[in-house]
Amino acid sequence: MTERIDRIVRTWIAAEQEQEVQEVASEISEGKATLLDLVKSLGEYLTAEEDDLRTKGVEFLSLVLAKCPPEKLNRQSVRVLTTFYCGKLEDTETIIPALKGLATLTKLPAFTSSDALEVIKAIFAHVKMKVLVQSQRFTVFTIIDNLVARHREALKGMGDDFLRGYINLAEGEKDPRNLLLAFAIDRVLLIEFDVQKYIEDFFNITFCYFPITFRPPPNDPYGITADDLKNALRACLHATPAFGPLAIPLFLEKLTAGSPVTKKDTLDTLDVCLPVYGPVVAREHARKLWNCLKLEIFQPTDSITEEKALKTTQVLIQTIYSATEAERSDSAEIEGLAKDACEECMQILREPEKSQAQHAIKVLCAFMSTTPSVARFTLARAVPHLVALFHNPDELPNRAPTLRLLADLIGAARKSTADDPEVLPEEGNVPLSPYKDEVLGVLTVGLKTPASALPAIDGLKSMARTIGLLTDEELGFVVHNVNELLQKDEEESEISDAALDLLSTISAFAPAHVSGNTLPLLFASLPDRAPPREAEAERIRYWRTLAYLKKLCTQPDLFETLVVRLSTKLDLLCVPAASTDDQSSNETDLEPAAAYAHSILKTLADVLSAKIDLGHADVVKYIDRLVPRLYNLFIYSALLAEDTPMVATDPRLLAVTAQIITLVTQTLSAGHQETFVKAVFAAFLDGNVSQLAEGIQKMPADKKFAPLQSGAAAPQKNLVVLFAAAVIALHKEVLLPVPDETELLHRLLQWTVTDSENPLQREAVVHMIAAILNRHADKLETFLSTNVANFWQAQLSDKNVSTESRRHAILTFTWLTKALLVRGHPAAMANVDRLCELFDDENVSWDAARAVGRIPGPDKILTKKNHAVIKILYAQKYCNTMLPRIIEGAKTSQSTRQNAYLVALAALIKSVPKSTYVHQMPSLMPLLLRGLDLPDNEIRASVIDTLQAAATSSGKDNTLLAEHASSLVLTMLKNSMVSQMPSVRVRVAALRYLATLPGVVRYDVLHPQKATVIRELAKVLDDPKRAVRKEAVEARTNWFKFSG
């Protein structure tokens, strides 16, 4: 075995290959050889007279050692190797490989404290850092780091010798990688060693790097950032209080004369250092620090530095006063910096309208989050002053700025308390409580004047949110005053928005005041009957009231009141109690009542949507409290509409009601949905409405509800929208209450062909079919293989069917395909192939092409919220399959088919995320340019939008755009002219694209087009549409400024 090791050693000495190192390490780890065998084989090299051979011998030993498992090195081996390597440190030729060996040894379990002392003494004696390169110095720091981590007590025992030796080694280091390690060692030594004698030396070897100005080189292999170094250095600078007297003057110097970056770094460092340096040092330098800080606060160069200076001021005050906080009584006078700074700010606050007052209040606000005694002192000085200023007749014009300052201070006082509503503050510990009556009085007076209303509302909001400050009675007083403000505010302004926000805040923890005082006022202002067409002011008033209610009533108690009151209004509107002259005159014109009812329903839908987003659990109960009333009203109206016009038959009302039903259904559990859907099916399939509909209107006994029956009246048929609304949000576990789902879907599919009269009915039923198919496709194989195939043959492939009917059938087929695609069903792509067969049919080729492109697009029916079965990345998979087919078809097909593929391409890229097609842009660009010649404006706009998205995501050096620049410019100019392009949307899109080009294409490429573009765009400045003129100005400006 020794011979094998000898041979490997000789080979490595000659060739220095990694393979030989690995071989020897493997032999040792497998027990086939020992370290002793290796040392014997290396013997002649380790002691050779020739420097090169000697260095190689030690190097090979160190390399093998690094790869050996620790358990193969026993105590004796480690001891011998340590002595050997320490000896080699004396030899200038072998010092580098010896350091590598020691770096490995110092990590081993068998390496002891006595070895550590031997190594560190040898390093101090023989290693001269200034003659070593960066990687070698790094090895030295690694050894010391290992020793400090594992043998700290032994090093402490060396006393001054170790600290002196380390300081000499670390001095003058400049490499970032080494500094990270050095700073880590420095921090441990400063915290755990007795460094009192060497504080100045440690100060010199650490503070000389402050502030860090390092900028990492490009492609830095080590990935060290300036922040890494800053954080490591900062950890050293606040490692010991002893640095305080030396460090503060240096920080002051940097704050006075440093660059903005240096100032920010200094402020961040002061934040962590001051608490460590302690109150004595902080007090000693307080005035000088404050003078520097207030310069950054009162004359800020930028907002970030100002914020950091305020934070440092907070830290300074906390450091000075926290230590004595426990000893200070509530009535004790504050002395020192806090008092002086507070007095300075108070002087400035005598002129609240001046800009400096804003900065002064920020300082006082910062004081609120320092210590309780400083906060009390600040409030005791500032609040009475601002209240007196507000009441001063001479300062009447300055009431608004005074209230703004007061509101900021109240806000800061609130933030200084605990935010946990479960934790009540101790008696007398609530900020502002001694002054709340005066402040409340001032703020309520401020509400009366528009100029001061906003700051007054902000102040009241902060008071309301301060736990334990206002009593229930006082909250009622605030609500009463805000109600008066809302009643006076005729315009829906910023003030009313803020007032509603305040009421919403109060309603979260004290809803009784809002429901008892505010809501009755708002409901009283809603008319029971719709204002006539010409009464625009009244219409605006109810819009505003409903907007207020929408913002206020998300809280469960308030929403319950909203539902009851608005449902009652809806009943009064849609089914008037008795006919009067006024009523009968309006019977022929149902539009005002329909518009009012729509606004009411939209308010309910919007609040429900907001509640679901907030995760409110009370939405579920409205399946019993709201949904039955809505079904009752609309079914009743549809039955009566055969004899008399009814407001609730308006399709727009049905659409919003459907949204409400779907939103509530979304929140139900599968079991609850199953109960609900039984009642829905009983009503719509069997005519039994008693389980579903419940309300004040009684169903006429002589009328039958059968919306899906052949020959049903249009108002009844329209109610399939409310049937679909209940079905599209069902969980997949919900079983439909029908004996055969295939038969149900077949019936619905046939109904879309034979009985549906308008898009509203058709789309509702198609959405319902898609939702059922998406959930239960695995149980509907017969429907997919037979019924869908028959539907295709009868309605789509048969050219004798009218073009309009075939277009409707394509829409139905698109939804069937989409339902399957999103759940990853294989039948989806077979349906897409069928649609592609229609590309040759001139009558419906473009409709089929659009369908192929739109199938993977987002929609509002098959969504996660509606509990659809959705496979991840379905759109990307579809795009990866279809895009190459479409590109190929657009290149090679005949004219009709080719245009269809272009239409499909335009629709597809609009439907899927940009990331799915961006890699295909070189192939897509020529086709997209051809798409801009198609006579369909919608397609043109889609293509331009795609080009815009591709352009803005690419850099300046865009070779693809450069290649097509000339064609793009001419095409966009043509599409921006009103004489050649009637569509406003296309003109706007083309101009936006032209405005983008100078930012993404090099000047030398676009330069030949510049004069033409500027000349032609001058004509567009006379476009009849303002939106187009605006984009033309933007585009022309960009081209005008465009230069090399």
Side-chain angles (χ1 to χ4, degrees):
M1 183 50 66
T2 310
E3 289 175 12
R4 175 168 164 72
I5 299 290
D6 288 347
R7 191 175 68 254
I8 294 172
V9 167
R10 282 197 298 275
T11 307
W12 188 86
I13 295 293
E16 295 186 45
Q17 294 295 313
E18 172 69 18
Q19 184 184 345
E20 284 81 35
V21 177
Q22 194 61 54
E23 278 185 46
V24 175
S26 299
E27 296 286 326
I28 294 171
S29 60
E30 290 166 15
K32 295 177 183 176
T34 63
L35 268 173
L36 184 61
D37 296 332
L38 175 60
V39 172
K40 284 178 182 174
S41 298
L42 281 170
E44 60 181 291
Y45 301 109
L46 296 175
T47 55
E49 291 293 321
E50 294 174 42
D51 294 345
D52 186 41
L53 285 178
R54 199 164 67 254
T55 305
K56 283 186 177 182
V58 180
E59 175 80 13
F60 188 68
L61 179 60
S62 295
L63 290 172
V64 172
L65 198 60
K67 291 187 179 294
C68 277
E71 61 271 13
K72 292 295 176 184
L73 284 99
N74 58 26
R75 174 75 198 105
Q76 187 185 354
S77 305
V78 170
R79 179 84 205 95
V80 171
L81 285 168
T82 300
T83 305
F84 167 74
Y85 278 128
C86 286
K88 288 298 176 185
L89 289 179
E90 299 174 28
D91 182 347
T92 54
E93 299 303 322
T94 58
I95 190 169
I96 308 307
L99 286 169
K100 289 180 187 173
L102 287 171
T104 303
L105 284 176
T106 50
K107 291 179 189 169
L108 296 174
F111 187 87
T112 65
S113 294
S114 58
D115 300 331
L117 293 175
E118 185 180 349
V119 169
I120 200 70
K121 285 173 182 174
I123 286 175
F124 288 162
H126 305 298
V127 174
K128 303 288 180 281
M129 294 290 263
K130 288 184 173 58
V131 301
L132 301 181
V133 297
Q134 179 271 327
S135 59
Q136 296 157 1
R137 297 197 307 277
F138 184 76
T139 308
V140 176
F141 280 117
T142 303
I143 294 168
I144 296 172
D145 189 44
N146 291 340
L147 296 178
V148 169
R150 293 171 172 80
H151 304 283
R152 202 168 296 174
E153 293 307 316
L155 299 180
K156 283 182 184 177
M158 286 178 67
D160 293 354
D161 292 344
F162 171 68
L163 294 172
R164 201 182 306 114
Y166 173 74
I167 289 164
N168 289 335
L169 277 180
E171 201 169 13
E173 181 55 62
K174 289 180 181 172
D175 186 83
R177 194 172 166 220
N178 295 347
L179 283 174
L180 277 181
L181 207 46
F183 291 155
I185 297 167
D186 294 345
R187 176 168 170 77
V188 174
L189 300 188
L190 287 163
I191 291 172
E192 298 208 19
F193 284 63
D194 182 8
V195 294
Q196 205 55 45
K197 287 187 197 170
Y198 298 96
I199 278 296
E200 282 202 37
D201 297 306
F202 272 102
F203 180 81
N204 291 334
I205 65 167
T206 52
F207 275 79
C208 63
Y209 300 106
F210 184 83
I212 295 287
T213 55
F214 168 70
R215 283 187 185 175
N219 306 317
D220 178 21
Y222 304 116
I224 294 171
T225 65
D227 281 342
D228 293 334
L229 284 169
K230 282 179 182 178
N231 293 333
L233 176 59
R234 213 169 276 155
C236 291
L237 304 189
H238 76 274
T240 172
F243 273 162
L246 301 167
I248 299 289
L250 178 77
F251 290 142
L252 286 168
E253 182 190 324
K254 301 297 180 189
L255 278 177
T256 308
S259 66
V261 175
T262 300
K263 285 181 180 179
K264 291 185 184 80
D265 194 6
T266 306
L267 291 167
D268 286 338
T269 308
L270 273 168
D271 289 350
V272 292
C273 289
L274 281 171
V276 176
Y277 295 167
V280 175
V281 172
R283 213 172 282 119
E284 186 184 334
H285 296 90
R287 176 48 66 180
K288 288 179 181 175
L289 281 166
W290 168 239
N291 287 340
C292 287
L293 291 170
K294 75 179 177 188
L295 198 66
E296 301 304 327
I297 296 167
F298 287 95
Q299 296 173 27
T301 50
D302 62 88
S303 59
I304 297 172
T305 309
E306 183 188 10
E307 281 175 31
K308 287 183 183 294
L310 284 164
K311 176 77 169 63
T312 306
T313 305
Q314 265 184 332
V315 173
L316 177 61
I317 296 293
Q318 276 171 325
T319 305
I320 294 171
Y321 293 95
S322 290
T324 57
E325 185 64 29
E327 305 156 21
R328 188 177 286 109
S329 68
D330 285 1
S331 57
E333 181 73 6
I334 289 281
E335 296 295 338
L337 179 63
K339 182 180 180 181
D340 297 344
C342 197
E343 295 302 340
E344 282 183 54
C345 292
M346 295 307 298
Q347 283 295 115
I348 295 168
L349 292 181
R350 290 174 186 276
E351 298 179 299
E353 75 283 4
K354 299 284 178 67
S355 61
Q356 289 295 295
Q358 295 293 328
H359 302 300
I361 206 71
K362 285 179 184 176
V363 174
L364 297 182
C365 289
F367 282 9
M368 293 309 303
S369 294
T370 53
T371 72
S373 58
V374 172
R376 282 194 299 271
F377 177 79
T378 305
L379 286 175
R381 286 286 190 279
V383 173
H385 170 76
L386 291 170
V387 169
L389 209 58
F390 183 87
H391 287 308
N392 187 342
D394 297 337
E395 295 289 341
L396 205 58
N398 296 329
R399 279 190 162 185
T402 303
L403 276 194
R404 170 47 58 207
L405 300 175
L406 185 57
D408 290 346
L409 192 61
I410 298 166
R414 188 200 68 77
K415 286 175 189 168
S416 70
T417 61
D419 266 339
D420 188 350
E422 302 298 318
V423 181
L424 289 172
E426 294 172 28
E427 194 69 36
N429 253 8
V430 183
L432 275 181
S433 54
Y435 319 102
K436 74 171 176 180
D437 293 342
E438 299 95 305
V439 172
L440 206 51
V442 163
L443 293 176
T444 46
V445 171
L447 283 177
K448 317 293 183 199
T449 313
S452 59
L454 276 176
I457 291 169
D458 286 347
L460 287 168
K461 186 177 174 183
S462 294
M463 288 185 82
R465 290 178 64 195
T466 304
I467 298 159
L469 179 61
L470 296 182
T471 64
D472 192 59
E473 192 181 341
E474 286 162 342
L475 284 169
F477 175 69
V478 171
V479 169
H480 173 74
N481 279 280
V482 175
N483 289 345
E484 286 185 359
L485 175 68
L486 277 178
Q487 285 175 290
K488 284 182 196 167
D489 191 30
E490 286 300 312
E491 299 297 320
E492 192 175 349
S493 66
E494 197 180 353
I495 294 173
S496 57
D497 286 345
L500 288 167
D501 189 37
L502 169 57
L503 291 173
S504 296
T505 301
I506 293 171
S507 71
F509 52 85
H513 294 297
V514 177
S515 63
N517 297 331
T518 310
L519 295 192
L521 286 172
L522 294 174
F523 289 130
S525 68
L526 284 176
D528 289 341
R529 290 191 189 157
R533 281 178 183 263
E534 60 277 6
E536 191 177 344
E538 289 177 50
R539 198 155 41 251
I540 289 170
R541 199 172 297 122
Y542 78 64
W543 283 344
R544 188 165 60 245
T545 303
L546 288 171
Y548 290 170
L549 288 167
K550 183 169 78 174
K551 287 177 184 171
L552 273 182
C553 293
T554 50
Q555 202 270 341
D557 291 351
L558 304 186
F559 182 65
E560 189 167 354
T561 307
L562 180 78
V563 168
V564 172
R565 298 297 294 268
L566 290 191
S567 301
T568 307
K569 292 280 182 199
L570 202 59
D571 287 335
L572 289 169
L573 268 174
C574 296
V575 188
S579 185
T580 63
D581 292 342
D582 190 28
Q583 163 79 34
S584 54
S585 67
N586 281 338
E587 270 186 4
T588 51
D589 187 10
L590 298 177
E591 180 63 23
Y596 187 12
H598 183 272
S599 296
I600 289 173
L601 287 164
K602 193 77 180 78
T603 301
L604 287 169
D606 289 346
V607 180
L608 268 172
S609 183
K611 285 175 70 63
I612 290 169
D613 290 342
L614 292 167
H616 286 186
D618 64 308
V619 175
V620 175
K621 70 183 182 186
Y622 293 99
I623 198 69
D624 301 318
R625 299 192 185 186
L626 173 62
V627 170
R629 284 189 75 167
L630 293 174
Y631 273 116
N632 195 77
L633 172 63
F634 283 92
I635 292 172
Y636 175 82
S637 297
L639 293 174
L640 260 62
E642 295 168 28
D643 305 322
T644 179
M646 298 292 287
V647 173
T649 55
D650 190 298
R652 291 165 297 183
L653 270 60
L654 289 170
V656 187
T657 306
Q659 187 187 348
I660 292 171
I661 293 167
T662 302
L663 285 168
V664 177
T665 312
Q666 280 175 3
T667 63
L668 303 180
S669 65
H672 207 158
Q673 282 187 349
E674 205 155 299
T675 308
F676 170 58
V677 87
K678 279 178 186 170
V680 173
F681 272 67
F684 281 87
L685 298 184
D686 306 330
N688 178 11
V689 300
S690 60
Q691 298 172 43
L692 177 66
E694 180 185 305
I696 58 171
Q697 301 88 9
K698 299 292 176 239
M699 298 294 167
D702 59 330
K703 307 279 186 186
K704 187 164 189 276
F705 181 58
L708 293 173
Q709 203 170 68
S710 187
Q716 282 203 41
K717 285 184 180 179
N718 283 346
L719 291 190
V720 293
V721 175
L722 305 188
F723 187 13
V727 175
I728 60 174
L730 296 179
H731 290 276
K732 65 178 179 181
E733 297 83 12
V734 175
L735 296 172
L736 298 182
V738 291
D740 185 356
E741 286 187 16
T742 299
E743 178 54 36
L744 170 69
L745 291 188
H746 173 67
R747 181 181 170 188
L748 293 173
L749 198 57
Q750 287 307 114
W751 192 87
T752 64
V753 176
T754 56
D755 292 291
S756 63
E757 296 176 5
N758 56 46
L760 179 80
Q761 297 169 9
R762 201 160 34 248
E763 283 178 21
V765 174
V766 168
H767 290 164
M768 185 163 35
I769 297 170
I772 296 169
L773 187 57
N774 173 261
R775 274 44 158 213
H776 307 295
D778 45 357
K779 298 190 293 186
L780 295 165
E781 292 303 325
T782 307
F783 175 75
L784 290 171
S785 59
T786 306
N787 300 74
V788 173
N790 292 344
F791 178 76
W792 172 266
Q793 292 295 335
Q795 298 300 320
L796 284 151
S797 62
D798 185 355
K799 294 189 179 181
N800 294 324
V801 176
S802 72
T803 302
E804 188 181 4
S805 295
R806 293 177 77 196
R807 283 179 178 150
H808 294 159
I810 285 173
L811 174 70
T812 304
F813 204 74
T814 303
W815 275 100
L816 293 175
T817 308
K818 182 189 271 285
L820 297 168
L821 179 75
V822 299
R823 65 170 286 146
H825 197 285
M829 294 314 293
N831 284 356
V832 175
D833 293 339
R834 285 173 171 169
L835 285 169
C836 290
E837 291 170 17
L838 297 178
F839 283 13
D840 289 320
D841 190 322
E842 288 186 4
N843 292 327
V844 293
S845 62
W846 281 28
D847 299 277
R850 280 195 192 91
V852 168
R854 288 172 182 170
I855 283 169
D859 64 87
K860 293 181 180 178
I861 308 302
L862 300 167
T863 64
K864 283 286 184 193
K865 278 188 174 181
N866 282 341
H867 314 295
V869 180
I870 300 175
K871 287 286 175 69
I872 194 168
L873 299 178
Y874 72 86
Q876 285 82 343
K877 290 171 187 170
Y878 181 85
C879 194
N880 291 341
T881 304
M882 290 305 299
L883 197 57
R885 278 179 63 180
I886 291 172
I887 291 172
E888 185 60 30
K891 287 178 180 174
T892 58
S893 306
Q894 295 303 313
S895 178
T896 304
R897 197 170 178 82
Q898 197 174 60
N899 282 348
Y901 275 114
L902 289 175
V903 172
L905 175 64
L908 180 62
I909 54 183
K910 192 179 178 188
S911 299
V912 294
K914 189 169 62 180
S915 57
T916 57
Y917 62 79
V918 73
H919 62 286
Q920 294 268 29
M921 279 309 289
S923 309
L924 291 175
M925 186 63 87
L927 301 177
L928 292 172
L929 286 169
R930 276 167 49 198
L932 287 172
D933 293 329
L934 292 172
D936 186 297
N937 293 336
E938 190 60 35
I939 291 172
R940 287 196 191 189
S942 295
V943 169
I944 297 172
D945 288 344
T946 303
L947 291 170
Q948 176 82 0
T952 49
S953 66
S954 57
K956 186 80 175 173
D957 185 22
N958 193 322
T959 50
L960 182 62
L961 282 182
E963 189 182 328
H964 297 279
S966 177
S967 306
L968 283 165
V969 169
L970 294 174
T971 306
M972 295 302 164
L973 282 173
K974 187 172 72 174
N975 279 292
S976 66
M977 301 289 173
V978 69
S979 55
Q980 298 186 52
M981 171 46 63
S983 167
V984 174
R985 186 173 166 224
V986 175
R987 298 206 302 275
V988 166
L991 288 165
R992 280 184 185 155
Y993 190 77
L994 280 171
T996 303
L997 280 177
V1000 294
V1001 180
R1002 298 193 318 274
Y1003 180 74
D1004 58 299
V1005 175
L1006 286 182
H1007 173 65
Q1009 317 288 333
K1010 183 174 178 179
T1012 308
V1013 172
I1014 291 172
R1015 185 180 65 250
E1016 292 300 305
L1017 286 180
K1019 300 173 186 173
V1020 187
L1021 296 176
D1022 294 327
D1023 193 281
K1025 293 292 181 182
R1026 184 174 177 273
V1028 177
R1029 295 197 299 273
K1030 180 175 173 288
E1031 296 297 338
V1033 169
E1034 180 84 16
R1036 196 163 183 263
T1037 304
N1038 287 3
W1039 278 82
F1040 197 76
K1041 291 178 179 175
F1042 192 34
S1043 58

